[in-house]
């Protein structure tokens, strides 16, 4: 009998992992062959060897794995709309880790925090989005799907052939999610493109603007969301920037959690977490502006008087309500009809479009992940009807909500368009799930070189014996100092858990408590003009008028380490706690930008 080959514990562990993967792959294959339309393509992508770099289908990393609990009666696959991004090579990840340890951070002045849309998207290049290929009613379902997959692979091939992986940003490689966008655009009479005011150029693909206003002939409303996280002068400057470059846009300023920018806030609130109770959604800033924009677009073709009456009721209820909790909020107003559209994205809708069918105006809400699409719908409705989360890809398929009998809202999953943005900025913008980032340290360095993280968090250099002495900082030092301050330790060796600390810092940036705002070109030279602009003064007064009332209950509690664990990002923040508590992305009093950031830093941008 031959002697057995030595078998280590690591090999045994790897053998068990491979066995589980094979078993899971077999189950997924059986389900995909009978129900999932993307199953065959996923298996081809997983088996594609990309080591030579010549394959059109690049190596894909699939994020946000959901447990399979049976397909149900409708054959729904919970992983059908997962985020699909190009996988970073192991060499690239190691290179960035070394840079985070060795590269000394150099502060960047506020004048250099400029984002120009021509540098990000290069309009007219191959940085486009996939269009639905022409079809006819004579085509079978299989022919239509095959044609769309072939067209999508050609689209990916053009982009990866024109740019290297190091230059390209993360963008969506899942055809099923793009099909959701096609369906929403086909259904909509008006398209809302929601952007984050801290970096609106990141969330504004010019190719979508040209397609909606040109080929489809629809009105496009740009929503500058989360205006409470940026100075009013900067908000007005971005508004005029888009008006100047895209004259067909209708621009609306919006926030679901307004605050009075004239109210001073405690700078130490960066370490505190605020919870709002009661009628928080009814105080949204922007529904009336959106109504006026829709009235101008429809020109009397749709009766929107019911929407205006609803806004008046919400304002009256927010003014006279006592904010006693969820029960009163749930009982106010009629129920909202919700329609989940899981498989209808594959159904042909006809080449001709009937506007305002049956006297109903359909508003499609599209945009990147984490720009606040679902929060905007909650703000329009006046109470929570859509589950929201900081995790990108939380909205997995589009849903429709009847705001009134003549206004229908359509919520589309977040989509990442291809661009030339640094991937570190995309991480800070909330495009990539923080809990699943392989290397978060360079993103922390990107943030710390643009805002004084060390000073804001009162960090002490890990190698400094004298706290008053100046020491050069790198991204790794910042993470290690934050882990030391927060008490993040590894389980076995009790060393500083720098990975967890880096994720914690990225969540603070995503929530707006470490707020990084970018400027349009020429903002620094005309800063005085924008601060004294009449629209700036009007915005300040408007936010103060609809801001949080004095009798609303707000409780602040210092962040515990348990609320920043890696797994928190994968849970729905609004479904964890009690029903009368919401933890908004931009809760007043909980962010550095919830006060004037200039007062603390002595500079224009935080």
């Amino acid at each position: 009998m031959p002697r057995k080959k030595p078998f280590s514990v690591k090999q045994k562990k790897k053998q068990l992992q491979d066995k589980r993967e094979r078993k899971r792959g077999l189950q997924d294959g059986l389900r995909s062959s009978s129900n999932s339309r993307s199953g065959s393509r996923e298996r081809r992508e997983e088996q594609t060897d990309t080591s030579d770099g010549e394959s059109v289908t690049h190596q894909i990393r699939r994020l946000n794995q959901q447990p399979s609990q049976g397909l149900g009666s409708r054959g729904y696959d919970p992983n059908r709309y997962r985020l699909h991004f190009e996988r970073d090579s192991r060499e690239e990840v190691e290179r960035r880790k070394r840079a985070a340890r060795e590269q000394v951070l150099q502060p960047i002045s506020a004048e250099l925090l400029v984002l120009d849309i021509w540098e990000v998207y290069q309009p007219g290049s191959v940085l486009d989005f996939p269009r639905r290929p022409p079809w006819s009613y004579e085509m079978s379902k299989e022919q239509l799907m095959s044609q769309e997959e072939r067209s999508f692979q050609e689209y990916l091939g053009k982009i990866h052939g024109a740019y290297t992986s190091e230059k390209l940003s993360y963008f969506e490689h899942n055809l099923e999610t793009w099909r959701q966008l096609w369906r929403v655009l086909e259904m909509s009479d008006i398209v809302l493109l929601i952007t984050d005011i801290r970096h609106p150029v990141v969330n504004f693909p010019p190719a979508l603007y040209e397609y909606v206003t040109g080929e489809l002939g629809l009105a496009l409303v740009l929503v500058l969301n989360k205006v409470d996280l940026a100075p009013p002068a900067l908000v007005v400057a971005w508004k005029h920037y888009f008006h100047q470059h895209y004259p067909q846009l209708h621009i609306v300023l919006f926030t679901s959690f307004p605050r009075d920018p004239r109210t001073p806030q405690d700078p130490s609130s960066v370490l505190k977490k605020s919870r709002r109770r009661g009628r928080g959604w009814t105080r949204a800033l922007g529904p009336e502006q959106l109504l006026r924009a829709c009235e101008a677009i429809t020109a009397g073709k749709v009766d929107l008087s019911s929407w205006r009456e609803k806004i008046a009721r919400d304002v009256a209820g927010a003014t006279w309500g006592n904010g006693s909790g969820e029960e009163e909020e749930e009982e106010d107003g009629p129920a909202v009809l919700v329609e989940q559209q899981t498989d209808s994205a594959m159904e042909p809708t006809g080449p001709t479009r009937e506007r305002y069918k049956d006297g109903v105006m359909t508003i499609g809400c599209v945009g990147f992940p984490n720009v606040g699409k679902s929060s905007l719908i909650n703000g329009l409705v006046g109470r929570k009807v859509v589950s929201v989360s900081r995790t990108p890809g939380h909205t997995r398929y589009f849903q429709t909500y009847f705001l009134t009998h003549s206004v229908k809202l359509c919520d589309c999953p977040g989509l990442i368009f291809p661009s030339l943005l640094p991937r570190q900025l995309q991480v800070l913008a909330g495009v990539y799930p923080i809990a699943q980032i392989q290397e978060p340290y360079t993103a922390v360095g990107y943030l710390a070189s643009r805002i004084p993280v060390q000073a804001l968090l009162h960090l002490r250099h890990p190698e400094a014996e004298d706290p008053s002495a100046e020491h050069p900082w790198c991204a790794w030092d910042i993470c290690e100092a934050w882990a030391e301050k927060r008490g993040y330790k590894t389980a076995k060796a009790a060393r500083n858990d720098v990975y967890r600390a880096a994720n914690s810092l990225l969540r603070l940036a995503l929530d707006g408590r470490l707020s990084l705002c970018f400027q349009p070109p020429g903002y620094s030279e005309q800063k005085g003009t924008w601060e004294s602009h009449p629209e700036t003064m009007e915005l300040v007064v408007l936010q103060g008028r609809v801001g949080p009332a004095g009798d609303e209950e707000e409780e602040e509690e210092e962040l515990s380490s348990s609320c920043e664990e890696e797994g928190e990002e994968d849970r729905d923040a609004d479904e964890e706690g009690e029903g009368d508590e919401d933890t908004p992305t931009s809760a007043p009093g909980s962010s550095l930008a919830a006060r004037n950031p200039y007062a603390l830093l002595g500079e224009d941008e935080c």
Side-chain angles (χ1 to χ4, degrees):
M1 182 176 179
R3 186 174 180 178
K4 291 185 178 180
K5 190 176 180 180
F7 202 67
S8 67
V9 177
K10 286 186 178 180
Q11 289 174 312
K12 181 64 176 177
K13 182 178 179 182
K14 182 68 167 57
Q15 184 188 58
L16 293 176
Q17 289 176 345
D18 293 341
K19 184 178 179 181
R20 285 194 215 100
E21 288 297 328
R22 288 195 302 269
K23 189 175 181 181
R24 187 181 298 118
L26 178 61
Q27 294 174 352
D28 290 344
L30 291 175
R31 288 194 299 267
S32 299
S33 61
S34 59
N35 295 285
S36 176
R37 285 180 280 268
S38 60
S40 59
R41 181 170 60 83
E42 287 183 359
R43 288 193 295 275
R44 286 199 306 271
E45 290 175 352
E46 289 173 355
Q47 297 168 1
T48 300
D49 181 14
T50 60
S51 58
D52 58 355
E54 297 178 357
S55 176
V56 172
T57 305
H58 285 62
Q59 191 174 7
I60 301 301
R61 186 181 183 197
R62 295 167 178 82
L63 307 176
N64 295 346
Q65 170 75 26
Q66 299 296 314
S68 299
Q69 300 177 351
L71 293 175
S73 58
R74 296 189 178 183
Y76 173 65
D77 182 4
N79 293 308
R80 178 175 163 189
Y81 304 109
R82 292 171 63 185
L83 294 174
H84 289 189
F85 290 154
E86 185 179 0
R87 186 187 301 273
D88 293 323
S89 65
R90 187 171 300 176
E91 294 76 13
E92 176 66 16
V93 172
E94 293 300 325
R95 184 192 66 80
R96 291 199 299 236
K97 285 183 180 180
R98 288 194 302 269
R101 285 177 176 268
E102 301 170 358
Q103 187 174 353
V104 176
L105 298 177
Q106 301 295 336
I108 296 177
S109 63
E111 290 74 14
L112 298 178
L113 294 178
V114 175
L115 273 181
D116 193 353
I117 200 165
W118 308 101
E119 300 175 357
V120 174
Y121 285 101
Q122 294 185 353
S125 66
V126 296
L127 297 176
D128 203 340
F129 73 97
R131 316 291 174 86
R132 190 172 194 176
W135 58 273
S136 64
Y137 284 110
E138 287 73 23
M139 298 174 63
S140 65
K141 182 178 180 180
E142 290 72 20
Q143 289 175 333
L144 178 62
M145 289 168 49
S146 175
Q147 177 175 290
E148 290 177 350
E149 290 192 7
R150 186 166 54 252
S151 175
F152 185 66
Q153 292 301 323
E154 293 174 358
Y155 158 80
L156 292 178
K158 289 180 181 178
I159 293 180
H160 288 293
Y163 298 96
T164 61
S165 299
E166 292 75 17
K167 232 181 154 184
L168 277 172
S169 66
Y170 295 117
F171 69 98
E172 185 59 75
H173 285 66
N174 189 356
L175 175 58
E176 291 293 336
T177 312
W178 289 109
R179 283 170 169 155
Q180 300 290 298
L181 174 66
W182 298 343
R183 181 57 173 150
V184 169
L185 294 180
E186 291 169 353
M187 289 179 57
S188 302
D189 301 312
I190 298 174
V191 178
L192 262 62
L193 178 58
I194 298 98
T195 62
D196 191 326
I197 190 59
R198 293 173 290 180
H199 33 70
V201 165
V202 174
N203 312 130
F204 185 87
L208 182 63
Y209 167 81
E210 298 293 341
Y211 179 72
V212 171
T213 59
E215 295 186 32
L216 297 183
L218 299 177
L220 182 63
V221 179
L222 176 64
V223 179
L224 298 177
N225 200 16
K226 306 182 184 180
V227 296
D228 58 306
L229 294 182
L234 184 62
V235 174
V236 175
W238 275 120
K239 178 181 177 182
H240 284 262
Y241 172 83
F242 283 104
H243 263 313
Q244 178 183 356
H245 290 86
Y246 303 97
Q248 297 184 51
L249 281 178
H250 302 261
I251 300 180
V252 172
L253 309 180
F254 199 96
T255 178
S256 298
F257 304 96
R259 60 157 184 98
D260 189 349
R262 299 167 294 187
T263 304
Q265 301 289 336
D266 184 7
S268 64
S269 62
V270 65
L271 298 180
K272 293 185 178 179
K273 185 177 183 178
S274 176
R275 286 182 180 152
R276 299 184 54 149
R277 299 177 180 272
R279 312 172 62 88
W281 296 109
T282 59
R283 297 189 178 277
L285 168 65
E288 191 167 352
Q289 291 187 35
L290 181 58
L291 170 60
R292 289 199 297 266
C294 292
E295 288 177 337
I297 294 170
T298 57
K301 297 177 182 177
V302 179
D303 183 13
L304 300 179
S305 58
S306 58
W307 190 3
R308 184 169 293 280
E309 293 171 0
K310 183 188 183 309
I311 292 177
R313 289 196 306 269
D314 291 342
V315 171
T319 304
W320 299 331
N322 55 12
S324 57
E326 184 189 12
E327 292 182 2
E328 178 189 356
E329 188 174 349
E330 290 291 340
E331 292 175 359
D332 283 347
V336 178
L337 178 59
V338 180
E339 299 176 350
Q340 294 187 356
Q341 311 285 346
T342 55
D343 288 330
S344 57
M346 292 300 303
E347 301 298 332
T349 57
T352 59
R353 179 195 313 271
E354 181 182 352
R355 298 283 180 84
Y356 315 121
K357 185 177 180 181
D358 300 327
V360 176
M361 176 183 66
T362 303
I363 302 176
C365 301
V366 302
F368 280 58
N370 267 318
V371 295
K373 296 183 297 297
S374 299
S375 297
L376 180 139
I377 291 181
N378 289 335
L380 293 176
V381 174
R383 62 183 183 275
K384 179 185 170 184
V385 295
V386 187
S387 176
V388 296
S389 174
R390 290 173 297 175
T391 304
H394 180 71
T395 303
R396 305 193 182 281
Y397 44 82
F398 76 90
Q399 297 176 329
T400 56
Y401 311 87
F402 276 89
L403 182 62
T404 67
H405 67 275
S406 61
V407 180
K408 182 168 66 172
L409 304 174
C410 188
D411 187 16
C412 179
L415 277 158
I416 301 97
F417 290 69
S419 68
L420 301 181
L421 274 174
R423 294 188 175 184
Q424 292 80 8
L425 177 54
Q426 285 192 300
V427 171
L428 292 172
V431 166
Y432 202 102
I434 291 177
Q436 301 183 47
I437 297 175
Q438 294 176 292
E439 185 278 310
Y441 314 109
T442 51
V444 173
Y446 188 94
L447 175 69
S449 62
R450 286 156 178 81
I451 63 174
V453 174
Q454 307 94 305
L456 294 173
L457 300 179
H458 307 290
L459 299 180
R460 178 178 176 177
H461 198 284
E463 299 179 0
E465 297 180 359
D466 183 7
S468 60
E470 292 290 335
H471 291 271
W473 290 82
C474 64
W476 190 272
D477 293 335
I478 293 176
C479 298
E480 191 169 0
W482 183 242
E484 180 69 29
K485 182 169 185 175
R486 302 299 296 166
Y488 298 153
K489 302 293 181 181
T490 58
K492 292 185 178 180
R495 299 188 183 97
N496 288 328
D497 194 343
V498 290
Y499 181 81
R500 181 179 176 188
N503 285 4
S504 171
L505 291 171
L506 294 180
R507 289 191 183 98
L508 289 177
L510 180 59
D511 289 345
R513 283 176 276 177
L514 289 173
S515 186
L516 174 62
C517 298
F518 287 88
Q519 309 168 358
Y523 174 78
S524 298
E525 293 79 4
Q526 302 177 358
K527 172 195 164 190
T529 304
W530 293 119
E531 288 183 342
S532 59
H533 197 279
E535 292 186 31
T536 302
M537 304 302 171
E538 181 183 351
L539 179 59
V540 170
V541 173
L542 185 60
Q543 289 194 54
R545 187 165 64 243
V546 301
D551 57 351
E552 274 192 348
E553 293 184 13
E554 291 186 6
E555 60 177 25
E556 291 188 352
E557 56 184 24
E558 191 169 347
L559 284 174
S560 63
S561 60
S562 61
C563 73
E564 295 177 298
E565 294 181 357
E566 298 173 17
E568 182 202 20
E569 196 71 20
D570 290 328
R571 299 192 298 262
D572 185 3
D574 286 333
E575 292 178 350
E576 288 179 341
E578 299 176 5
D580 60 347
E581 294 182 358
D582 287 313
T583 308
T585 303
S586 55
S590 64
S591 70
L592 278 178
R595 46 168 181 75
N596 190 343
Y598 312 140
L600 175 67
L601 302 179
E603 54 188 4
D604 291 344
E605 298 302 331
C606 177

